[in-house]
Amino acid sequence: MEELFIIENLSKSFGNKKVLHNISLRIFKGEIFTILGPSGVGKTTLLRILNLLEMPTTGKLIFNGKDTAILQKNNVMGRMSMLFQIPAVFNTSVFKNVAYGLQIRKMDKKTINIKVIDALALVGLAGFENQKALTLSGGEAQRMAFARAIVFKPDVILLDEPTANLDPANVAKIEEIIQKIRSELGTTIIMASHNIHQVRRLADRVGILLNGELIEVNTKDQIFTHPNDPRSIAFIKGDIIY
Amino acid sequence: MDSTGFLLQGIIKAFELIFSLNPYIMSITAVSIWVSGTATLLATLTAIPLALIISFVNFRGKQAFITFVNTGMGLPPVFVGLFVFLMIVPVGPFGFLNIVYTKEAMILAQYILITPIITGISLAAIKAVPQLIIETVYTLGGTGKDAAIATLKEARFGIITAVLAGLGRALAEVGAILIVGGNIARTGSVGGIGEGLSETRTLTTAITSETSKGDISTSIALGIILICLVLCVNILANYFQRRD
């Protein structure tokens, strides 16, 4: 499989606080890779570094074979999108929210129209185009954020606990969308989650992050049936309270 | 005549002056709108970019600059008037501009007064835009310019409120423009009242001079127009605050 991200000896500190320690990881094109771990262990920080919203303190980040340190930040960021726990909603219509990434890429109106309608259909929001985005429910807003993230066909989507604040029905819908995005668009998906059950349902490969340290990376089956690290075993068994 | 009759007569005469579109009253209204409108436009063109720079750019002394802007929001108008007057009198450092007792001087004074107000309120509106919105712009491939535009769009109702607050303050201001504008009307009476068409006489400065002359009905007419203008500005501001 072809590598999309190569992360080498990456560390991140905020002041004196070291958040990520010496992370090395490879993420392959087209896979769903999940970063699994309790809250506050650095999952979001790692995603933000992958999205270039934060710069690592030390280490190397290679995207599509090129070192991000020497690439134009916008060129790299333009090929990914990231969804946060709480979706950001622009104070305008659903259509304009979803069209945003296409408009800043200066696409013509006809193309934008087609792509937005397709993206909204994919996330089950067909017919919501003219609704004010601020009137959407939490689940609908997150689905709209998904449509906005996929509409310009990024190489990778980074998901930061995308179902953390949703009810089970909306969680199911979002998980269905994640699988659809991968199967229909072939997009690489990197997801941070503390939810072991969700990771079991969605992931191809899993990396377990504890206290800023990536303690184990393996396929989902291996991680959940034969974890190697005692801390992984404790976390999966639920002995580590979070 | 008792006090009620005196007031009633003044009010009736005031409405007559307004509805007959008395040239003296209309010229004063026009000067007020022109001076305050131009000052607000220029202040807006300065304040919004300034608020964006303060929000998005880290520079040395930023906090001190914000304190300076906030202090400017409460500047006493007479002090601003005195300051501008001392700058533009013929012996002052900008005396060569030859603008003392002109509309340009009044615009300058109001510009100094309301730029901090529009900047301060716009800054608060911009700061209220969640960081998540700005980060989302970047995560969707936007540039710093895209983030600034998106922020302005999100803060638009707050910024409009800021502009209207500035306009309201400018329209109601009297001290600074009285000093630098001189409250001048041309010689000769028009429409049977006042001294002639307004040169630098605004609604507020005219009220002070007409009241001191004892022309109550003209003062009331000017006051009604002023209140109506300020009311319109406040209705608009409330409308945009509700939409926010």
Side-chain angles (χ1 to χ4, degrees), chain A residues 48 51 53 74 77-78 80-82 84 86-92 100-101 104-105 148-149 152, chain B residues 132-147 149-150 153-154 156-157 243-244:
Chain A
R48 289 173 66 84
N51 196 214
L53 282 172
N74 278 105
M77 291 179 90
M80 351 176 164
S81 57
M82 181 165 170
F84 303 97
I86 300 163
V89 177
F90 298 130
N91 188 3
T92 181
Y100 185 78
I104 59 175
R105 286 170 176 76
R148 188 173 56 198
F152 58 92
Chain B
L132 202 58
I133 290 279
I134 297 161
E135 291 196 337
T136 296
V137 171
Y138 287 124
T139 66
L140 294 170
T143 59
K145 187 180 151 199
D146 294 321
I149 292 169
K153 280 186 181 171
E154 290 300 306
R156 61 191 180 276
F157 298 125
R243 285 196 63 178
D244 198 0

Side-chain angles (χ1 to χ4, degrees), chain A residues 163-176:
Chain A
T163 60
N165 299 307
L166 301 179
D167 61 275
N170 273 304
V171 170
K173 278 182 191 162
I174 295 288
E175 289 183 4
E176 193 188 325

Side-chain angles (χ1 to χ4, degrees), chain A residues 219-233:
Chain A
T219 60
K220 173 176 70 180
D221 293 338
Q222 280 296 318
I223 284 276
F224 288 115
T225 53
H226 304 291
N228 292 323
D229 192 290
R231 291 168 295 177
S232 302
I233 298 168

Side-chain angles (χ1 to χ4, degrees), chain B residues 28-29 31-32 35-36 106 110 171 173-174 177 183 198 200-207 222:
Chain B
I28 288 170
T29 307
V31 169
S32 264
V35 169
S36 299
M106 295 157 76
Q110 290 203 335
L171 279 169
E173 198 280 316
V174 56
I177 50 172
N183 193 30
S198 165
T200 62
R201 188 166 291 183
T202 65
L203 290 164
T204 50
T205 59
I207 289 171
L222 294 166

